[in-house]
Amino acid sequence: MTVKFIGYIGFNDTSEIHNATRSRVLDREYVDAAAIEQERGGFDRVLIPFGSASPESQIVAAHAAAITSKLGFLVAHRPGFTQPTLAARQLATLDQLSGGRVAVHIITGGADEEMARDGDVGTTKAERYARTDEYLDILQREWNSAQPFDHSGRFYQARGAFAAIKPDNLPVFFGGSSPEAIEVAGRHADVYALWGETLEQVGEAVRTVRHAAAQHNRSPGFSLSLRPVIADTEEAAWKKADAIVEQVRANREAAGLPTSGHRPPNAGSLRLLETAASGRRDSRLWTGVAALTGAAGNSTGLVGTPEQVADALLEYYDIGIDHFLIRGFEPLADAIDYGRDLIPLVREKVAERDQRKVALAG
C-alpha cells in the first residue's frame, strides 16, 4: 500500500493563531507560493477549502494548476448549490486542463447557518445527505455514460443529460460520521476522509466504512487529517504546541468567541470533543486546539520530533490509512518543514515496512 500526502492551500497565510474569526481574503502571492512549495516538498495533492464567504475553490485550483506541473488538487465542493450536471462538466474540464490532477472532496454541510448563507434554508441533515447521494449518482453518470440519460429523483430532474467531456481520473473524497454519511460513503467514496482521532477510533471508523462499502462491492482508501507540530526535540515540540494553544485561546477571547461549552452540530465534532476532554491521547495525539474551537474542522495534531511523528503516522498506516492530510498553524512555513523533514521520512519508513512484508511473505 502506497502512502499519499495532501497539503492545504487556504486563501492567505493565516490560521487560528493569527485570526480567530478565520476570515479569508484572496492573497495571490500566498496561493502561488503555497502551490509551488508544496509541489517542491513532495505533496501529492493540496486541499482547497470551501466556505460560504470564501473565494471559489475551483477557480483557485485552476490558477494553481497553471503554475505547477505535478501537484494534484483536492477541490472542496458542496452539493446543492450547483446543478450536478453542470458540476460534473466543470470538474471534468478542470481535470482535463490540469492533466488529470484533480480530485473532489464532497462536503455535505452540517451547520444550518453556513448553509443558509448560500440559500439552503430549512433542510435537515438527513435531507442533505439524501440530496448528496442523488447528486453523486448524477455526477458519476455524467462522467461515465456514453449516451444521454434521463433522471427523475427526489431532488433533481434531468432529460437527455450528457457530458461530452469526461475526466481522466477524478477520485471522490467524502467525509461524515453520522449513519446517513456512512451509507453515502459506502456507495460513493473513493477515499473516505477522517479527522485525527485515537488509533482505536480511527480503526473502528475504517472497519465501519469498509463494511458499508462492501455492500456495494467497493473498497475505498482512507485519509486522515492532522496538524503536526514538529521540532528538533520532543520537549521543544510540546512547548510549541502549548504556545499554539495559548495563542488560540487569546485570539478567541479577544474576538469574543467561546473557548468552552461548545455544541457542534455534526457527529464528528461531537465525538472529537469527547476525545479532547482528556487532552493528550495515544503516544502523540494532541487535542488542545480542538477543545478550544469546538473541534471545528481539522484541529487535532501529532506532536514530537519528525522521527516520532513519522512513527505515529505509521501506526495509522498500519490500520488502513493511506492518505494523510497535513497542515500547520503557520501554513506556508510548516508546509515547507513537512516537505523537508517529515514526508521523506514517512515514505522511507513505509517503503522499508512494505519490503519487510514482501520478504516475510516470500
Side-chain angles (χ1 to χ4, degrees), residues 60-79:
V60 173
H63 170 75
I67 62 171
T68 56
S69 59
K70 298 180 296 183
L71 187 66
F73 300 92
L74 180 56
V75 180
H77 178 78
R78 183 173 290 166

Side-chain angles (χ1 to χ4, degrees), residues 27-212:
D27 181 341
R28 178 175 172 173
E29 290 185 359
Y30 166 73
V31 170
D32 290 359
I36 291 167
E37 290 296 342
Q38 287 178 94
E39 179 171 65
R40 183 178 294 146
F43 286 85
D44 297 281
R45 296 188 186 278
V46 288
L47 172 66
I48 300 178
F50 178 98
S52 61
S54 66
E56 210 290 312
S57 56
Q58 291 186 56
I59 297 174
V60 173
H63 170 75
I67 62 171
T68 56
S69 59
K70 298 180 296 183
L71 187 66
F73 300 92
L74 180 56
V75 180
H77 178 78
R78 183 173 290 166
F81 304 108
T82 304
Q83 287 294 320
T85 50
L86 174 58
R89 298 194 302 277
Q90 290 172 332
L91 289 164
T93 301
L94 184 56
D95 178 78
Q96 288 283 334
L97 289 175
S98 69
R101 291 189 279 149
V102 173
V104 61
H105 183 37
I106 299 296
I107 303 173
T108 298
D112 292 343
E113 62 273 16
E114 168 79 6
M115 308 297 287
R117 294 188 191 109
D118 276 331
D120 188 2
V121 179
T123 56
T124 66
K125 183 169 69 172
E127 288 171 333
R128 291 196 286 264
Y129 276 113
R131 182 176 63 190
T132 293
D133 189 28
E134 187 177 333
Y135 191 97
L136 289 171
D137 278 337
I138 299 170
L139 208 69
Q140 294 288 354
R141 291 188 73 181
E142 280 271 316
W143 288 342
N144 296 308
S145 294
Q147 301 295 330
F149 63 91
D150 294 342
H151 176 87
S152 180
R154 176 181 172 188
F155 301 96
Y156 300 103
Q157 306 287 327
R159 299 289 180 268
F162 178 73
I165 186 166
K166 311 291 188 187
D168 289 328
N169 174 38
L170 212 161
V172 172
F173 286 60
F174 185 88
S177 301
S178 66
E180 299 95 337
I182 296 298
E183 175 57 27
V184 177
R187 282 172 46 80
H188 296 287
D190 296 307
V191 179
Y192 178 75
L194 305 95
W195 290 337
E197 296 184 292
T198 65
L199 289 163
E200 180 182 359
Q201 290 169 321
V202 170
E204 180 181 353
V206 167
R207 291 189 294 273
T208 299
V209 173
R210 280 180 174 163
H211 177 75

Side-chain angles (χ1 to χ4, degrees), residues 8 15 22-23 32 35 43 54 62 82 96 103 118 133 205 216 225 260 272 274 281 293:
Y8 183 82
S15 76
R22 311 183 88 173
S23 60
D32 290 359
F43 286 85
S54 66
T82 304
Q96 288 283 334
D118 276 331
D133 189 28
H216 306 282
S225 297
S260 62
L272 193 53
E274 293 176 3
R281 298 292 295 270
T293 61

